[in-house]
Each structure stands twice: as C-alpha cells, then as structure tokens.
Amino acid sequence: MNNTNVIGQFQDEIEQTSGEVAESVKDSVGEAIEQGVQSVVGTNLTPQQIQEKEQDRQKQLSYTRKWLGDLQRAQEKVRAENKQKEQQRLQAQEEEKKVSEMKKEEKKKKPVNPAIAYAGKVEIKRGVGG
C-alpha cells in the first residue's frame, strides 16, 4: 500500500529533477552555441569600441603581470626565509653534536676516583693472596 506511494513519489521526483537538469543543459548549450556564432560572425563594433576593448584588455593584462610579479617576489621571499631557517636548524644540530662529543671527551679525560669506581662492585677473590 504505502510502498507504491513511495515508489510513485520517488519516480515523480526523478522525472522532475531530470527534466530540470535537461532544461539547464539545454540552456547552457544554447548559450554556448550563441556565443560561438557571435564570435565567428563578429559584432559590428565601431573603431572607438574596438579601441576601448583593446585598452581594457591591455589594462587587464597589465594588472595580471603585476600580480604575477608580486606573487613571484613573495614566493622568492618565502623560499629565502625557509632556506635560512633550514641553515639555522642544521647549524644548531651541528652545535648540539659538537657539544655532545665534547661532553663524551670530558668524561673520558676526567680522572675516576677509585672509591667511586669500585663502589658497589663485588670483590672477586682468586685463590691465595688475592
């Protein structure tokens, strides 16, 4: 009972949606064809209109070049900063390594107090006189 109503409603929604999509596609295709025809046939622009269009195009091109130049400079700045940070990190890492090696050398050179060195070690007896 209820299932047929749900299926019918679902079918109606699909038909409505597909109709809307088809209409939208049809409109888009029509606009594209119209634009294509106009670009092939061309519009009758006056020399002044052509000159204004060219000026607008040049202005837009100028803005785009400026924007790209600014972007390139910003990227170079970020790359330089990142390179500097990496060099600082490597230098700090190298310093840490040197300090660690120096501490190891100091431990080797430090005289060991026999009382501390043998504290807690078990005395091994080896026979007579030992």
Side-chain angles (χ1 to χ4, degrees):
M1 300 181 285
N2 227 358
N3 290 341
T4 56
N5 288 342
V6 171
I7 292 172
Q9 183 181 1
F10 183 68
Q11 184 177 2
D12 291 343
E13 288 177 11
I14 289 177
E15 288 173 358
Q16 181 182 355
T17 304
S18 61
E20 290 171 2
V21 169
E23 188 65 31
S24 175
V25 168
K26 184 176 159 185
D27 290 345
S28 297
V29 169
E31 288 175 16
I33 291 172
E34 186 177 328
Q35 287 176 358
V37 168
Q38 285 180 357
S39 67
V40 170
V41 171
T43 56
N44 296 329
L45 296 176
T46 65
Q48 184 179 358
Q49 289 173 326
I50 293 172
Q51 185 178 6
E52 288 173 0
K53 275 191 150 194
E54 181 61 23
Q55 286 174 345
D56 288 344
R57 192 182 71 74
Q58 290 293 332
K59 191 182 212 182
Q60 185 64 37
L61 190 60
S62 173
Y63 287 142
T64 303
R65 285 187 181 135
K66 182 185 180 310
W67 181 81
L68 287 173
D70 292 345
L71 178 64
Q72 189 174 13
R73 283 187 289 281
Q75 286 175 334
E76 288 171 2
K77 182 180 177 185
V78 169
R79 283 188 198 110
E81 289 172 356
N82 286 343
K83 186 177 180 180
Q84 185 178 9
K85 286 178 185 177
E86 180 65 14
Q87 287 175 343
Q88 288 173 347
R89 185 189 69 79
L90 290 173
Q91 196 172 18
Q93 188 178 12
E94 192 66 29
E95 288 292 321
E96 284 180 30
K97 190 186 270 187
K98 286 180 182 178
V99 168
S100 175
E101 288 175 8
M102 287 174 59
K103 286 181 180 178
K104 287 179 185 177
E105 289 296 320
E106 284 180 23
K107 281 184 178 180
K108 288 179 182 177
K109 292 179 182 177
K110 201 178 231 183
V112 178
N113 185 343
I116 294 174
Y118 293 111
K121 291 188 178 178
V122 178
E123 186 176 328
I124 301 171
K125 295 190 180 199
R126 296 194 174 130
V128 179

